[in-house]
Amino acid sequence: DGGITQSPKYLFRKEGQNVTLSCEQNLNHDAMYWYRQDPGQGLRLIYYSQIVNDFQKGDIAEGYSVSREKKESFPLTVTSAQKNPTAFYLCASKQNRAAPGGYTFGSGTRLTVV
Amino acid sequence: GQQVMQIPQYQHVQEGEDFTTYCNSSTTLSNIQWYKQRPGGHPVFLIQLVKSGEVKKQKRLTFQFGEAKKNSSLHITATQTTDVGTYFCAGGRGGSNYKLTFGKGTLLTVNP
């Protein structure tokens, strides 16, 4: 079955450490996105990529970095510069910018700073 | 920037009662999407509305897009316990939906 795989499901980070969240899709989608979800909040866009080797900042990109070296993969690094990283992180993909329909989401990574 | 407001934030109903959540944008949208997130789960795409005044139905769910393309609603008839979850609207601008703005969602709980 095609889909998006996020790993790990739960991640604990010490303050001052960088961590990388994995997102892999086998849907052959061009566009990929990273969202952050906090309790009682909507989804806020961190970064997005429309094509390999290209990505743009979203609304809350500070303290995060991404890469898009392969179509299937869009890893997110949460750096020590992110002041409040504890959150639920969701990766999503879409066939391409112009295609109708919605996003396909992964099952998420819950990051906790200890 | 664009804002998408969603009300109510919470709604508790008895099984069999109807439920409606409303979404309002500060700007005109090119399209609006609705997602459902079960407790502990991830958002799942339900539907996309594109045309002014559009109404779409999925079984007990009815989705509307306002004439001005700035508001939308989701109505569930005769709720069931399987309807429990958070319903999000997400607005797209500029003829593409590659960058959506999500509302904060409405959490629906259903008492059996």
Side-chain angles (χ1 to χ4, degrees), chain A residues 2-68:
Chain A
I4 298 181
T5 301
Q6 288 189 242
S7 60
K9 189 169 184 173
Y10 299 96
L11 186 58
F12 296 89
R13 188 195 93 171
K14 293 183 179 179
E15 286 195 26
Q17 284 184 336
N18 293 354
V19 290
T20 297
L21 283 57
S22 171
C23 177
E24 303 278 333
Q25 55 100 355
N26 60 4
L27 300 165
N28 199 33
H29 285 176
D30 287 321
M32 297 187 74
Y33 311 85
W34 274 106
Y35 283 90
R36 169 180 172 142
Q37 186 175 32
D38 295 284
Q41 302 295 312
L43 281 65
R44 292 184 290 168
L45 182 63
I46 304 173
Y47 268 96
Y48 63 100
S49 168
Q50 299 297 311
I51 197 169
V52 174
N53 291 322
D54 186 47
F55 50 82
Q56 286 79 40
K57 293 182 179 180
D59 300 319
I60 55 166
E62 185 175 353
Y64 300 97
S65 66
V66 294
S67 63
R68 186 85 187 276

Side-chain angles (χ1 to χ4, degrees), chain B residues 50-69:
Chain B
V50 178
K51 298 177 183 177
S52 170
E54 189 170 15
V55 178
K56 287 188 176 180
K57 292 190 175 184
Q58 290 180 348
K59 297 183 180 178
R60 294 177 295 105
L61 278 62
T62 302
F63 304 85
Q64 291 188 316
F65 199 10
E67 294 291 340
K69 301 183 76 173

Side-chain angles (χ1 to χ4, degrees), chain A residues 33 35 37 41-43 45 48 50 90 94 97 101-103 105-107, chain B residues 9 33 35 37 41-43 45 48 88 96-100 102-104:
Chain A
Y33 311 85
Y35 283 90
Q37 186 175 32
Q41 302 295 312
L43 281 65
L45 182 63
Y48 63 100
Q50 299 297 311
L90 287 157
K94 189 173 183 293
R97 168 178 168 170
Y103 295 175
F105 282 87
S107 57
Chain B
Q9 190 174 1
Q33 299 180 8
Y35 292 79
Q37 184 175 22
H42 58 276
F45 173 70
Q48 175 177 299
F88 292 98
S96 68
N97 64 358
Y98 68 93
K99 185 180 173 184
L100 296 177
F102 281 80
K104 291 188 176 181

